[in-house]
Structure formats: structure tokens, C-alpha cells
Amino acid sequence: MTAAAPSPCIGRFAPSPTGALHAGSLVAALASWLDARAHGGRWLVRIEDVDTPRCVPGADQLIPQQLAALGLVPDEPPLYQSQRGHLYQAALDTLVARDLAYPCACTRADIAQANAALGLAKTRHGELVYPGTCRPENGGLRGRAPRAWRLKVPQGPAALWTWHDRRLGPQTQALDATVGDFVIRRADGLWAYQLAVVVDDADQGITHIVRGEDLADNTPRQQWLQQCLDLPTPTYLHTPLVLDPHGEKLSKQHGAKALQPEHALTDIQRAGAVLGLCVSETTLEKWLESAQKAWPWC
Ligand code: GLU
């Protein structure tokens, strides 16, 4: 009798092309690559260019070039979310048919006003909890024009979402009190990150999600969406963030410097140190090989 083949591991790095790769985004890229390789798996790159107003021309080309200069080469050509609207539409149609999604007419001001009336404050990154104004059972659009589409989140005890992060351990979030019914198609017609990421991770067969810790609190929303669409749930590992001198997450928006190919070994060693990897080698190739062996989350 032959032993069952271990399930294949497929990891991914999913940058938004809002600028060049920098010391912060490299940590997530490297961690996802190391995790896939240490599991003997495949590694893919997906360009998350659905939020077109935030995309910087040329960044979608530059990021894969920067990754290649660091020895991080995907097993398939990068996939572009901007070309996958038909898949997101099909998912939305399914959610509507299942009575899980509904149109919403509320503006930010409407939501802020409704929250103020309920005595609710802003939560994550200043986002507002949606109080369910346009839920069909609360009266729906009441003659107002639809703007966005929202996904219903569970209410009451079922809203208390628990999940496991491979680095951070057990996590909990009350989906109703922290987020509320969330946007899956935006008022400007663009697809929301939550829907696109879930559809694509499933479509690409991603089994291991590795990304920055700032995205950890999206996980309950994404796992709920996976359940709503009968999709498998991958494992999750959220990596430490690189902070700027003010203690803020290093980001393209706040002027993080683009990585330069001539500093590849130093840059990768620095990113490795953020991940707790004390590997010192004299070439990039050797460093990547030793780091795979030292990868602690296998
Ligand atoms: N596109 C997202 C970003 O650049 C990452 C999405 C993800 O890894 O789930 O922040």
C-alpha cells in the first residue's frame, strides 16, 4: 500500500500595484515564498489592481522585476485582478441568489449619522461599522438609489468568529459589532478587496496565505465569505510589520523607499531578520536555500 500523497501547498504574494516593492512589502513577499518552498509547494504572484484609482502606472511590471532580482520568481506568470471581473460578478450573483448580499444606498455620512444615533464609534482604521440600515429585513432601500452591494454577516453568538493564525495563535472577532455587513461591490462600481481576494485565492487553489499582520483582521470576513460561497479555507500566517521611525507601518503611501537590485542580499537579510531568521550567507542563492531550511512555521 502506498502512503497518501501530502496535499499540495500553494502560496501567493498578492501586492496592490500602488508603488514599488519596499522593505515592508518584501517581508510578506519573502515569507510567502519561503513558506511555499519550505512546504515543497508552488508560489504564485497576483497583482491586485482592482482599486484602479490607487494603482500607480508601471508598478505592476516593476514589482515582479524587483522580486526576480531578489531571487523570488513565481511558478506561473502573475495574474491580474483587473481581468477577472467576470468571476467576481459570478460570485456576487451566487451571493444574491442565496439571499446573502443586498444593495445599499447609504453614503458614509448616512452611516456615520446612524452610528452616532446608536452611540457607536469608528473602529479599524477609522472604518465605520455598518448598522444594517438597508438590510431587506430592516426595510431595504426604501426608494433610494442603490450604491454598493453588502454581504450579510452573522448576528448574535454566530458572529463571534474564531480562527487560527500560524504565528499569532487563536484569534477572535465579533463580525457584527466590529465590521457589520460589509461592502463586496463598491459604490463606484469597483470590486471590493474582500470579494476579489476570496474568489481568486480559491480559483488559484491557494492553501497557505502568508501576508502582513495589518491584514489579519480581514481574515474573519474572508473566511465568512468562503463559507457563503462553499469555498475551502486556507491556513493563515500573518507576518510582523516593518515600522517607520514614528511607529507607523512602513508603506508606499508614506514614502517607503523602493528596493534597489544592487542591495538584494542586504535587503533580503533585513527582511529575514524581521521574520526572526538569523541566516548569514555570502550570496543571495545560498541565503534563500538556508532560509528555507530555517523557516520556523513548517
Ligand atoms: N493586495 C493586498 C495588499 O497589497 C494584500 C492582499 C492579501 O495578501 O490578502 O495589501
Side-chain angles (χ1 to χ4, degrees):
M1 223 173 89
T2 51
S7 57
C9 161
I10 308 180
R12 52 64 161 184
F13 175 52
S16 304
T18 52
L21 196 71
H22 56 77
S25 44
L26 175 57
V27 173
L30 175 64
S32 62
W33 184 89
L34 282 172
D35 193 53
R37 293 295 185 244
H39 283 94
R42 293 163 57 69
W43 185 69
L44 307 178
V45 169
R46 183 171 70 229
I47 303 293
E48 298 213 320
D49 56 349
V50 270
D51 192 353
T52 38
R54 287 184 58 229
C55 294
V56 169
D60 60 320
Q61 304 289 327
L62 178 60
I63 294 170
Q65 285 165 15
Q66 291 179 294
L67 290 169
L70 291 153
L72 311 179
V73 179
D75 294 311
E76 287 171 21
L79 184 148
Y80 282 68
Q81 286 192 325
S82 55
Q83 294 166 10
R84 295 167 65 79
H86 58 290
L87 293 174
Y88 313 142
Q89 183 64 55
L92 175 60
D93 292 346
T94 302
L95 295 167
V96 173
R98 293 182 177 181
D99 198 20
L100 288 163
Y102 62 89
C104 172
C106 296
T107 61
R108 275 189 75 78
D110 295 332
I111 301 170
Q113 209 175 16
N115 276 347
L118 293 167
L120 295 175
K122 287 183 183 182
T123 56
R124 177 183 187 263
H125 311 320
E127 273 177 33
L128 300 162
V129 176
Y130 186 64
T133 318
C134 293
R135 261 200 181 220
E137 54 266 45
N138 294 339
L141 294 170
R142 289 184 292 280
R144 294 170 304 155
R147 292 163 49 81
W149 282 87
R150 292 185 180 272
L151 185 77
K152 291 181 182 174
V153 299
Q155 305 291 302
L160 196 64
W161 203 265
T162 53
W163 60 283
H164 180 79
D165 182 278
R166 291 164 54 208
R167 183 177 76 90
L168 303 170
Q171 306 288 310
T172 329
Q173 185 185 74
L175 269 169
D176 55 350
T178 320
V179 185
D181 297 346
F182 58 90
V183 171
I184 50 179
R185 185 163 201 170
R186 297 169 22 170
D188 56 10
L190 297 176
W191 294 104
Y193 156 66
Q194 309 293 351
L195 183 72
V197 82
V198 162
V199 168
D200 285 337
D201 282 333
D203 189 60
Q204 294 189 283
I206 304 300
T207 57
H208 291 57
I209 291 182
V210 178
R211 60 188 179 188
E213 203 175 306
D214 56 318
L215 294 168
D217 66 2
N218 290 283
T219 308
R221 266 171 281 184
Q222 293 171 12
Q223 292 188 343
W224 169 240
L225 250 174
Q226 287 154 6
Q227 275 197 16
C228 292
L229 291 165
D230 299 324
L231 300 174
T233 288
T235 65
Y236 289 85
L237 190 163
H238 289 90
T239 58
L241 301 180
V242 180
L243 302 180
D244 69 14
H246 310 289
E248 298 287 328
K249 180 196 151 195
L250 197 66
S251 70
K252 296 168 251 202
Q253 287 76 14
H254 293 109
K257 280 199 251 93
L259 299 177
Q260 302 302 325
E262 58 275 22
H263 302 139
L265 181 59
T266 320
D267 287 338
I268 211 122
Q269 276 171 336
R270 279 206 188 118
V274 175
L275 294 164
L277 292 169
C278 305
V279 175
S280 80
E281 293 286 0
T282 50
T283 68
L284 188 61
E285 292 70 27
K286 283 191 193 154
W287 191 93
L288 289 172
E289 213 177 293
S290 299
Q292 277 177 61
K293 294 187 189 123
W295 183 243
W297 291 291
C298 242

